[in-house]
Every structure is written in structure tokens, then in C-alpha cells.
Amino acid sequence: EIEHVEDVSKIRSNIEEYLRSLGLSDKFIFDFLIATAEAINNALVHHGSGSYMLLTREDYIYSYISDKGQGIPISNLASAIFKKDFSTKDALGAGYRIILSKAHNVYIKYTNGVKILIEFEV
């Protein structure tokens, strides 16, 4: 569960330890952690809480973050991804752009909250 800012560093430490145990490169670990932390921070900033899971399948590793927020309105989603400094709250507005620049694929679902699956090919 993600409920406090301190949870982000705990999750990052656990992820880093696991990815290092797999023998993944420092760059892979850095990119994975940056993308994951951005999505977790979005859940905290825009909803106040959420949950996190790390998933693996064959040659892929995923971060799955969910919260019960409403998400970015579809009409603003392109701006959130492509416009510099766009935010619906008092935030830097770079989260989705950073996530997309690091991940191989990103899947977002707005049903009963926001669910984001960040995919990295190993």
C-alpha cells in the first residue's frame, strides 16, 4: 500500500534490491525506478494513496500502480503527456512524459480509479 511519502523510498529500495538480484544493469534499474516513482507520486499527489505491485513475465518486468482517483480527464490526457509543465494540481507536470520516456509501454485504465501498468522489456 502507498499511503505516505516515506512509502516511495521503501518501495524503491525493495525494487532495487530485487532488480539487482536479477543481475540487471544500472541503467535498467535507474529507468525502472524513475518511471515507477513518478507513477507512485502521481497516486499520492492526485489521490493521497494507492497500491503497488511488481510483476514479472518471461522477458518483461512491470510496475502496476492503482488508486481510487478520477485520473486526468481524457480531454487533458494528450496535454499531460506532451505539454511541458502541464498539471491539474500544484505539481511539476512531467510525470507521464518521464514515464513514457523510460518505459517500453505504458497502459492506463480509468475504471474504479486509475490503474497504470508500466512495461519494461528485460
Side-chain angles (χ1 to χ4, degrees), residues 58-79:
E58 298 171 9
D59 293 334
Y60 294 91
I61 298 178
Y62 304 89
S63 276
Y64 176 77
I65 299 94
S66 64
D67 65 49
K68 296 294 183 191
Q70 294 185 5
I72 296 171
I74 297 299
S75 60
N76 291 342
L77 193 55
S79 295

Side-chain angles (χ1 to χ4, degrees), residues 48-110:
S49 66
S51 62
Y52 175 78
M53 280 192 300
L54 183 132
L55 308 163
T56 60
R57 189 189 83 188
E58 298 171 9
D59 293 334
Y60 294 91
I61 298 178
Y62 304 89
S63 276
Y64 176 77
I65 299 94
S66 64
D67 65 49
K68 296 294 183 191
Q70 294 185 5
I72 296 171
I74 297 299
S75 60
N76 291 342
L77 193 55
S79 295
I81 294 169
F82 299 113
K83 278 189 178 177
K84 185 177 187 214
D85 303 327
F86 178 87
S87 181
T88 58
K89 296 262 186 171
D90 288 334
L92 296 177
Y96 278 120
R97 285 191 12 247
I98 290 170
I99 294 167
L100 288 170
S101 74
K102 301 296 181 189
H104 289 99
N105 289 300
V106 178
Y107 305 93
I108 302 169
K109 184 176 181 180
Y110 293 135

Side-chain angles (χ1 to χ4, degrees), residues 8 12 33-43 94-96 98-99 118:
V8 179
R12 285 178 56 107
L33 289 172
I34 290 293
T36 297
E38 284 296 329
I40 290 170
N41 285 334
N42 281 347
Y96 278 120
I98 290 170
I99 294 167
I118 307 169

